Amino acid sequence: MLAFAGLPMCFLECSLGQFASLGPVAVWRIVPVFQGIGVTSVLISALVSIYYNVIVAYSLYYLFASFTSYLPWTECSHWADSRCRNGISGLCNVTLDNATIIVNVSWVNDNNLTCIADNNTELPSKQYWEKVTLQQSSSLDETGHVVWYLALCLLLAWIIAFAALSKGIMSSGKVVYFTALFPYVVLIILLVRGCTLEGARDGIEYYIGQQSDISKLSNGEVWRDAATQIFYSLSVAWGGLFALSSYNKFHNNCYMDAIVVCVINCLTSILAGFSIFSILGHMALVSGKKVSEVVDEGFGLAFIAYPDALTKLPISPLWSILFFCMLLTLGLDSQFALIETITTAIQDAFPKIMKKMRILVTAAVCTVLFLLGIPCVTQAGIYWVILIDSFCGGWAILFAAVLELVALIWIYGGNRVILDIEMMLGKKHWIFWLWWRACWYFVSPVLLAVILVWSLVTFEAPKNNGVDYPKWGVTMGFLMVVFCLIWIPIIAVVKIIQAEGNIFQRIVSCCRPAQNWGPAFPKNRGERYQHMKDERVKNEDKEMEITDRKGIERYTQMKEEPVKQEDTEMETPDMKVFDNPSFQSD
């Protein structure tokens, strides 16, 4: 999925966002009739950010709970019921001479026996997750009360996001230096520790080896999950790449950016798998189970299986703190990209407002999304999180991706896209474009369309611990998808109505680039865009020429904070920015 869909679309979006210095909605000046795709991407990002910060809140809660000498989910406590089985007991049931007895797990392993799975018992980490962390209700119908400590963690998560994004790309870029690099430190520490544990090999064999279940590749949901995971981690079709690449300099090597980011992204996922499954292999050995019996997916892996595995390590609170710090920073990274997508779209639509009130607008966005996330921290919150994730994070994004490729490559034209890219990167040999042409024109759209149809045909309503969602809940999921996608035909109709001529002429004109489509700055337009209608930059200050979108943002902030008379002998930090040659004219 990375090679045939993720990488081609990542390169495409990075290139066009950088080329026009426009966000996910405004960039559709390239094919105005499909501007609804940009709106859809922003709405999907907004809905996903609502529940994704709830996951960050879960990580915060577990992080705080780990600052103790004894992890609270290690053993069954007052919050557990009769089904809870101590995770450190080291005992299990085996059958000897037609009788079931309870013996020590190490004795079972020494005698090559197998523990009997007891479906009537539950791990303390599972009951802690459901009864303490979530205070989970029986179904989506039973909302219950707001879990106050999760609500506070959610508020803290949004405060962190606001603090990092309050000044736009200037502040978030600095924060990401830590949030993007710290997980690698933790992953390597966990990998080294995991590989030294007994049973680690079994876990890795189950992850990538002879014990892997290859038959799952015949499941359409697996391929859909692969596509959405690649798209999510790369921010492809979510609008994030358009938003972030719009801050690049015009001649930045976006091709190398796309290659490096995609490769590192995939290698990071593989590294994380080795780190996690090595410890899960040890957990399986200690528990006397097969690796397949201790491995869970989604929330079960992050907040049940892995926390239980951590209790079996020496100095378990330390490893727990490291693990949930890693989850927290990874979650915040993704959250920054989602919110930046929304604020960039607002900036393109209302540049004057964002110039004067960026902090207030960012605060308003975070506040609204926090309030919309309150249902996700009620006792039925986990049902809402899974519902939004199942619908908005899957079909809608695949549908938008297929339409995006059709609009950009088949309507605007793949050859024109290549000419635009070559204006930034320089002329390339025709052989260079063979792979990209094949993917953009045929492989990627066909592959994504097949996965989309396949997953729709094999659709099953989401469940949580075997609990079926009520019909109104499934209907709500479909309505969220419709709410995101409906803007594509609505905006297309509006654009056609606003155009001139007969119906055919209107459709044709809306499928052509707008008059203000092209590079943001006159110096980068060359002959192809010399007649472009300029609405982006007015050179009111002739003493200085800003060469990228980030420069515009810094410049406008500098103009709003003039240097005081008594400070004229000292340069302000903002002035130093413009002494850098990268911000001066060519």
Side-chain angles (χ1 to χ4, degrees):
M1 291 309 307
L2 176 71
F4 292 106
L7 179 56
M9 291 200 65
C10 179
F11 179 36
L12 180 66
E13 292 190 3
C14 283
S15 300
L16 294 179
Q18 175 178 306
F19 178 78
S21 298
L22 294 170
V25 177
V27 76
W28 285 98
R29 296 173 183 176
I30 189 172
V31 188
V33 74
F34 282 98
Q35 192 174 44
I37 297 176
V39 176
T40 292
S41 298
V42 173
L43 290 177
I44 292 174
S45 295
L47 287 174
V48 170
S49 69
I50 292 172
Y51 87 80
Y52 202 81
N53 233 19
V54 176
I55 300 175
V56 175
Y58 294 157
S59 301
L60 280 169
Y61 174 78
Y62 270 84
L63 176 62
F64 296 147
S66 300
F67 283 94
T68 178
S69 59
Y70 193 75
L71 293 177
W73 55 84
T74 302
E75 290 185 303
C76 302
S77 187
H78 61 88
W79 37 262
D81 59 27
S82 58
R83 296 180 299 165
C84 185
R85 175 180 62 82
N86 280 336
I88 62 170
S89 63
L91 303 176
C92 72
N93 298 329
V94 296
T95 301
L96 283 178
D97 299 329
N98 297 323
T100 302
I101 60 174
I102 301 176
V103 295
N104 191 285
V105 170
S106 60
W107 185 87
V108 173
N109 295 329
D110 291 340
N111 290 273
N112 294 323
L113 298 176
T114 303
C115 292
I116 301 174
D118 188 353
N119 296 326
N120 294 321
T121 62
E122 292 182 345
L123 292 172
S125 61
K126 183 176 187 296
Q127 293 211 350
Y128 184 86
W129 164 247
E130 295 176 352
K131 297 178 180 296
V132 180
T133 306
L134 301 178
Q135 298 185 25
Q136 183 176 318
S137 63
S138 59
S139 71
L140 187 63
D141 290 314
E142 186 183 344
T143 302
H145 60 263
V146 173
V147 182
W148 65 269
Y149 42 82
L150 286 183
L152 289 178
C153 288
L154 180 62
L155 177 61
L156 177 59
W158 278 112
I159 290 174
I160 295 173
F162 166 72
L165 297 168
S166 59
K167 294 186 178 180
I169 203 72
M170 293 172 60
S171 54
S172 64
K174 297 174 182 177
V175 175
V176 167
Y177 277 114
F178 172 77
T179 58
L181 296 177
F182 178 75
Y184 288 98
V185 177
V186 178
L187 281 175
I188 293 173
I189 292 174
L190 291 175
L191 177 61
V192 172
R193 177 55 183 158
C195 290
T196 61
L197 296 172
E198 187 179 4
R201 183 182 180 87
D202 292 334
I204 294 174
E205 284 282 348
Y206 181 81
Y207 170 50
I208 299 179
Q210 296 179 356
Q211 299 181 33
S212 296
D213 186 2
I214 305 299
S215 64
K216 287 188 176 182
L217 293 178
S218 63
N219 187 340
E221 289 296 312
V222 171
W223 286 93
R224 191 201 72 172
D225 290 344
T228 52
Q229 171 59 25
I230 286 293
F231 279 28
Y232 193 96
S233 58
L234 294 177
S235 202
V236 170
W238 294 81
L241 288 180
F242 284 126
L244 298 178
S245 64
S246 68
Y247 292 93
N248 287 343
K249 296 177 177 63
F250 186 77
H251 294 291
N252 173 67
N253 192 346
C254 54
Y255 167 73
M256 188 56 64
D257 287 349
I259 297 293
V260 171
V261 167
C262 289
V263 171
I264 291 179
N265 171 77
C266 195
L267 292 178
T268 301
S269 297
I270 295 174
L271 173 65
F274 281 108
S275 300
I276 289 175
F277 277 86
S278 60
I279 293 181
L280 292 179
H282 175 70
M283 174 187 174
L285 178 69
V286 173
S287 304
K289 296 181 178 180
K290 297 179 180 179
V291 178
S292 60
E293 295 175 356
V294 300
V295 171
D296 209 331
E297 60 180 307
F299 298 106
L301 175 62
F303 299 108
I304 298 176
Y306 207 79
D308 183 63
L310 294 173
T311 63
K312 296 173 173 57
L313 299 178
I315 323 176
S316 54
L318 172 63
W319 304 110
S320 183
I321 290 171
L322 287 175
F323 176 73
F324 288 109
C325 276
M326 179 187 70
L327 281 189
L328 175 63
T329 50
L330 288 173
L332 287 173
D333 265 346
S334 297
Q335 190 68 6
F336 293 161
L338 292 171
I339 304 305
E340 190 66 46
T341 300
I342 301 170
T343 55
T344 300
I346 296 174
Q347 178 175 332
D348 286 337
F350 308 102
K352 294 182 179 180
I353 293 178
M354 288 297 285
K355 174 183 175 181
K356 298 178 180 179
M357 299 187 296
R358 169 176 283 278
I359 294 179
L360 289 177
V361 171
T362 305
V365 170
C366 292
T367 301
V368 170
L369 294 176
F370 164 71
L371 295 175
L372 291 174
I374 293 296
C376 294
V377 290
T378 61
Q379 289 182 282
I382 190 65
Y383 297 99
W384 284 106
V385 169
I386 293 174
L387 184 70
I388 302 173
D389 178 53
S390 299
F391 285 91
C392 294
W395 300 338
I397 206 67
L398 289 176
F399 192 84
V402 173
L403 281 184
E404 180 179 309
L405 284 169
V406 170
L408 296 177
I409 303 303
W410 288 95
I411 297 180
Y412 177 69
N415 290 331
R416 297 173 74 176
V417 168
I418 290 172
L419 289 175
D420 290 341
I421 296 175
E422 289 183 338
M423 286 179 63
M424 300 182 294
L425 304 183
K427 190 70 175 177
K428 302 289 183 181
H429 196 276
W430 64 270
I431 296 178
F432 174 87
W433 296 109
L434 285 179
W435 169 260
W436 305 108
R437 285 179 184 273
C439 290
W440 289 340
Y441 275 98
F442 180 75
V443 177
S444 298
V446 171
L447 178 62
L448 294 176
V450 169
I451 293 174
L452 175 61
V453 173
W454 192 0
S455 61
L456 285 172
V457 171
T458 59
F459 168 75
E460 294 181 3
K463 294 182 179 181
N464 181 35
N465 281 344
V467 177
D468 292 325
Y469 275 67
K471 291 183 178 179
W472 70 265
V474 177
T475 303
M476 182 70 72
F478 280 110
L479 288 177
M480 285 189 288
V481 174
V482 171
F483 171 70
C484 293
L485 297 178
I486 194 65
W487 300 100
I488 297 175
I490 287 178
I491 292 180
V493 170
V494 170
K495 293 289 184 182
I496 292 172
I497 292 175
Q498 292 176 343
E500 298 179 353
N502 58 44
I503 186 64
F504 177 76
Q505 292 172 333
R506 293 184 180 193
I507 294 175
V508 170
S509 65
C510 290
C511 291
R512 292 172 177 166
Q515 292 182 353
N516 56 354
W517 163 254
F521 301 94
K523 58 171 293 178
N524 296 322
R525 292 173 186 167
E527 295 184 3
R528 292 185 65 223
Y529 291 94
Q530 61 180 341
H531 301 299
M532 171 184 165
K533 184 179 179 181
D534 190 1
E535 296 179 354
R536 288 296 308 276
V537 180
K538 295 180 180 179
N539 294 322
E540 298 174 355
D541 191 339
K542 298 296 183 181
E543 297 178 0
M544 165 182 322
E545 183 179 358
I546 315 302
T547 59
D548 62 16
R549 180 177 180 150
K550 189 188 297 184
I552 295 174
E553 185 173 324
R554 296 184 181 185
Y555 178 51
T556 54
Q557 291 184 4
M558 184 191 73
K559 290 182 69 177
E560 293 172 1
E561 301 175 1
V563 182
K564 296 180 181 179
Q565 182 67 30
E566 58 269 21
D567 294 333
T568 53
E569 297 180 359
M570 182 180 300
E571 280 186 318
T572 65
D574 280 327
M575 288 300 293
K576 290 181 180 179
V577 169
F578 293 98
D579 283 342
N580 191 313
S582 65
F583 287 98
Q584 296 175 1
S585 65
D586 292 344

